């Protein structure tokens, strides 16, 4: 008789989550070249919200165990390397774990809601805080690579109604990204 808890993360689950999280990190770093203009700086969280739902749903549907989304969030947070982003991404993972614990691991509604929260908090940590609130410090760091003017222009835009539009755009894109992720999981991982 086995005494192992089937709902406990195993080493292969952790490896799966980390490798999948690294796919989203690669997407993030590969598309960072788009941070060249003020408009693309502002639109990056919307772009990520559309794409990253696939990996998020694969983790949520394939692993279906407590801690999987939190591990994903910790890996993504650490790879972000910016303190507000790290804090908000880990917070989104904790919120996701609470939702999944309450509604059921693998539950599509819980994954959708937690993904939207994840992307909104990520937008605050990756764009709104550094570009609207701490723009001067960020621009001063980017003098050497020539992005200072783009950062300051994005900052001016984000200090207006554009921040609200960005959050609304991220929410819509996250719902679409979640639907794409859910569709891919349903089509390819249904067992």
């Amino acid at each position: 008789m086995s005494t192992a808890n089937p709902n406990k993360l195993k080493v292969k689950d952790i490896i799966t989550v980390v490798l999948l999280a690294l796919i989203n990190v690669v997407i993030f770093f590969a598309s960072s070249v788009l941070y060249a203009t003020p408009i693309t700086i502002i639109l990056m969280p919307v772009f990520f919200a559309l794409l990253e739902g696939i990996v998020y749903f694969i983790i949520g549907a394939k692993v279906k165990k407590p801690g999987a989304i939190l591990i994903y969030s910790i890996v993504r947070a650490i790879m972000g390397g910016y303190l507000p982003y790290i804090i908000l991404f880990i917070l989104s993972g904790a919120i996701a774990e609470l939702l999944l614990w309450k509604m059921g691991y693998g539950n599509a509604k819980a994954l959708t809601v937690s993904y939207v929260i994840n992307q909104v908090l990520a937008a605050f940590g990756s764009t709104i805080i550094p570009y609207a609130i701490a723009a001067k410090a960020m621009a001063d760091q980017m003098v050497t690579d020539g992005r200072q003017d783009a950062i300051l222009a994005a900052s001016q835009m984000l200090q207006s109604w554009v921040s609200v539009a960005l959050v609304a755009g991220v929410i819509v894109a996250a719902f679409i990204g979640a639907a794409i992720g859910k569709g891919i999981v349903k089509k390819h991982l249904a067992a």
Side-chain angles (χ1 to χ4, degrees):
M1 180 188 263
S2 175
T3 58
N5 183 351
N7 290 329
K8 188 175 180 185
L9 284 171
K10 295 176 176 53
V11 172
K12 92 173 178 151
D13 297 324
I14 295 168
I15 292 169
T16 299
V17 170
V18 170
L19 290 176
L20 287 168
L22 290 175
I23 289 171
N24 276 353
V25 170
V26 169
I27 291 169
F28 177 79
F29 284 121
S31 55
S32 67
V33 297
L34 297 175
Y35 279 98
T37 71
I39 298 298
T40 56
I41 287 171
I42 293 169
L43 291 177
M44 288 312 294
V46 174
F47 173 72
F48 293 137
L50 284 171
L51 291 179
E52 293 181 350
I54 297 166
V55 169
Y56 194 88
F57 266 79
I58 290 172
I59 292 169
K62 185 168 174 59
V63 179
K64 292 185 192 177
K65 294 179 182 173
I69 296 294
L70 183 60
I71 290 170
Y72 163 81
S73 299
I74 291 169
V75 170
R76 289 298 319 277
I78 292 169
M79 296 305 291
Y82 181 65
L83 187 58
Y85 181 81
I86 292 169
I87 292 167
L88 292 173
F89 222 107
I90 292 172
L91 176 63
S92 78
I95 292 168
E97 288 294 332
L98 287 172
L99 285 170
L100 292 165
W101 173 73
K102 181 84 171 154
M103 299 172 75
Y105 291 92
N107 180 291
K109 287 181 183 175
L111 285 169
T112 299
V113 171
S114 66
Y115 180 67
V116 171
I117 293 168
N118 168 275
Q119 290 301 304
V120 169
L121 291 178
F124 271 92
S126 68
T127 304
I128 294 173
I129 292 172
Y131 293 99
I133 298 170
K136 177 75 172 106
M138 181 79 117
D140 289 346
Q141 292 176 356
M142 300 302 164
V143 171
T144 57
D145 69 3
R147 292 189 294 162
Q148 185 178 34
D149 291 338
I151 290 168
L152 293 173
S155 171
Q156 287 178 330
M157 285 189 251
L158 283 168
Q159 292 175 14
S160 66
W161 61 270
V162 175
S163 287
V164 175
L166 172 62
V167 172
V170 167
I171 290 169
V172 170
F175 273 111
I176 294 168
I180 293 168
K182 187 166 91 174
I184 288 174
V185 164
K186 191 174 191 178
K187 183 174 181 179
H188 296 287
L189 293 180

